[in-house]
Amino acid sequence: MRFVPILVTLAVLLVTSPLCADEISFERNGKQYDLTGQVIATHEAGIVLHTPDGKMWPIQQQEITSRQKTTASFKLQTKQELIDSVLAEMPPGSQIYETAHYLVAYNTSRSYAQWVGSMLERLHRGFTSYWSQRGVKIHEPNQPLVALVFDNQNSFANYAQAELGDAAKSVIGFYSMHTNYVVMFDLTGGAGNSRRNLGTRDIQRLMSRPDFQWSLATVVHEATHQLAFNSGVQQRFADVPLWFSEGLAIFFETPDVSSSRGWRGIGQISKPRLGQFQKAAQSGQPFLPDLLSNDDSLRKAATSLDRYAQAWAVTYFLQKRMANEYDAYLTELSQIAPLDDPPEGARIKMFQKHFGADLIQLENEIREMMSSLRP
Ligand SMILES: [Zn+2]
């Protein structure tokens, strides 16, 4: 009996504390931030704060100037509040095109925003039905997903500069774990206003052209990251191996502009990635242990193309040949909390637990499969 009061207290704590908002003040680059949100992860080096607009802020302990719990509860913004927040970040005159799951904020033509909205919805449908057919539990995003569509590469780069630095000028789209937005620009581009007359059908026709396929794949790739982070497949700021996130996004990126229903590009052979894999394979150098543990090798310009191709190849092999094991591995990765710091070697151990201890044998099977595929 004497345990009962303790259990009650614990239960009350568990129920109330996650709902109360945190007020955090911090200083970064000479600028003061006062935010209210919910601390969703704590580490000796810092915290992650989730704010009502859906953003997540990784904040270092040394940046924090004050921190307190409020009695008010933490609530995500409603759709209308979110629309107002998003428009405040866009150039003046921008508008919102709403679909079932997305808010597309744009300062280009409405037809282009519509085309983006319908593409994103098809991807959402394809993504959801793919995992449900596989028996993997995912959930709907807990807020509408936001896509920003700028009218040209310059206005896109102006916005992206703050997050990407100089890389903003050379990319055509990105997903931000901080804002949770997928950001892109009108690919029909071109000078003058002629494109403003394009209808969604004209845009569809233009996007089917071979020269648009790579750009389109990039946008779909980034939108897949957004879906993975908002459906429970992965948690933002969690230590999920980069090859896994990237391999998954590439698995979904194969463009499909023709179908009007679900996304049919899922799991098709990625011709550019297969070609790159086969080229890299000629060296005969083993890649798997490094791919599994070294995220930087995917980020560095010198190795990134090979590594992305290998990430795709491993994902393709595992999803086709070891689907149940892949799903169990995905489920275990989805439970890694933000800022969780796994010990050295933990990634390889977890991988071996699901796919077997013999990495050399597995790598040989992947190579064999890849050499039998035709780009
Ligand atoms: Zn990616």
Side-chain angles (χ1 to χ4, degrees):
M1 282 302 283
R2 49 194 278 262
F3 291 110
V4 171
I6 298 168
L7 284 173
V8 169
T9 319
L10 259 178
V12 169
L13 272 176
L14 286 171
V15 171
T16 55
S17 66
L19 296 174
C20 287
D22 300 276
E23 276 173 2
I24 308 279
S25 296
F26 67 99
E27 235 181 80
R28 184 173 291 169
N29 301 327
K31 202 177 154 193
Q32 162 91 14
Y33 295 83
D34 303 298
L35 301 176
T36 302
Q38 189 178 32
V39 174
I40 55 151
T42 306
H43 184 266
E44 60 191 28
I47 59 167
V48 175
L49 183 73
H50 191 194
T51 45
D53 52 9
K55 291 190 170 73
M56 283 189 190
W57 301 75
I59 306 166
Q60 290 175 24
Q61 287 301 358
Q62 69 228 36
E63 295 176 310
I64 299 173
T65 51
S66 86
R67 173 178 177 168
Q68 54 186 349
K69 270 244 172 269
T70 68
T71 48
S73 59
F74 171 77
K75 274 197 205 92
L76 286 172
Q77 286 182 335
T78 61
K79 182 158 60 175
Q80 191 51 52
E81 289 166 340
L82 184 60
I83 288 176
D84 295 339
S85 307
V86 171
L87 283 177
E89 295 179 65
M90 288 289 289
S94 297
Q95 289 178 289
I96 295 282
Y97 177 74
E98 233 184 282
T99 68
H101 302 93
Y102 290 87
L103 298 174
V104 181
Y106 64 97
N107 69 338
T108 186
S109 72
R110 186 162 180 85
S111 331
Y112 195 80
Q114 273 173 334
W115 178 80
V116 168
S118 73
M119 177 188 72
L120 292 173
E121 281 297 337
R122 286 196 297 128
L123 178 66
H124 178 279
R125 211 173 305 142
F127 186 89
T128 310
S129 65
Y130 181 78
W131 294 116
S132 85
Q133 278 165 21
R134 291 270 294 253
V136 174
K137 280 206 180 84
I138 61 169
H139 60 73
E140 284 291 337
N142 51 17
Q143 253 179 330
L145 297 175
V146 174
L148 308 186
V149 185
F150 289 91
D151 57 350
N152 59 48
Q153 192 155 16
N154 275 346
S155 57
F156 164 84
N158 281 343
Y159 170 87
Q161 173 76 29
E163 283 199 73
L164 306 181
D166 282 344
K169 293 187 196 107
S170 53
V171 302
I172 62 155
F174 68 100
Y175 163 73
S176 161
M177 271 198 264
H178 163 52
T179 62
N180 204 30
Y181 303 159
V182 58
V183 188
M184 64 191 92
F185 59 88
D186 188 336
L187 293 167
T188 63
N193 287 326
S194 59
R195 71 174 188 279
R196 299 215 171 259
N197 302 322
L198 294 178
T200 42
R201 277 219 191 129
D202 304 315
I203 295 168
Q204 179 85 351
R205 208 170 304 131
L206 204 59
M207 288 301 158
S208 314
R209 272 177 19 193
D211 50 330
F212 278 106
Q213 298 311 291
W214 187 249
S215 310
L216 189 56
T218 305
V219 173
V220 176
H221 177 111
E222 299 306 324
T224 303
H225 281 313
Q226 188 185 40
L227 281 173
F229 282 111
N230 285 275
S231 60
V233 171
Q234 287 177 260
Q235 298 189 48
R236 284 144 78 186
F237 301 106
D239 187 67
V240 169
L242 197 57
W243 79 267
F244 175 84
S245 323
E246 294 307 331
L248 185 75
I250 301 169
F251 193 74
F252 280 79
E253 78 184 12
T254 322
D256 164 36
V257 281
S258 54
S259 73
S260 55
R261 301 179 70 231
W263 196 257
R264 287 192 311 200
I266 301 164
Q268 289 180 5
I269 294 171
S270 170
K271 290 177 189 172
R273 309 295 185 181
L274 177 60
Q276 187 72 32
F277 180 91
Q278 291 175 340
K279 212 170 104 193
Q282 287 165 6
S283 75
Q285 288 288 320
F287 66 83
L288 194 52
D290 194 54
L291 178 73
L292 298 183
S293 47
N294 180 2
D295 287 356
D296 277 344
S297 69
L298 286 117
R299 295 195 183 100
K300 279 189 189 137
T303 45
S304 75
L305 267 185
D306 285 354
R307 283 287 187 256
Y308 269 70
Q310 289 154 347
W312 167 76
V314 176
T315 306
Y316 187 90
F317 176 90
L318 296 176
Q319 291 227 27
K320 303 282 177 184
R321 298 266 178 92
M322 303 180 85
N324 292 337
E325 291 86 348
Y326 183 89
D327 294 346
Y329 177 65
L330 176 146
T331 304
E332 188 167 357
L333 289 179
S334 74
Q335 283 149 15
I336 301 177
L339 303 187
D340 227 10
D341 212 359
E344 185 79 21
R347 280 183 174 189
I348 291 196
K349 269 196 203 122
M350 195 204 283
F351 186 88
Q352 287 173 318
K353 183 177 111 186
H354 291 281
F355 305 111
D358 193 345
L359 296 183
I360 296 171
Q361 168 67 18
L362 185 68
E363 185 168 330
N364 285 338
E365 289 175 31
I366 295 167
R367 282 176 196 274
E368 257 169 53
M369 183 190 203
M370 290 298 134
S371 63
S372 72
L373 298 176
R374 291 287 154 259

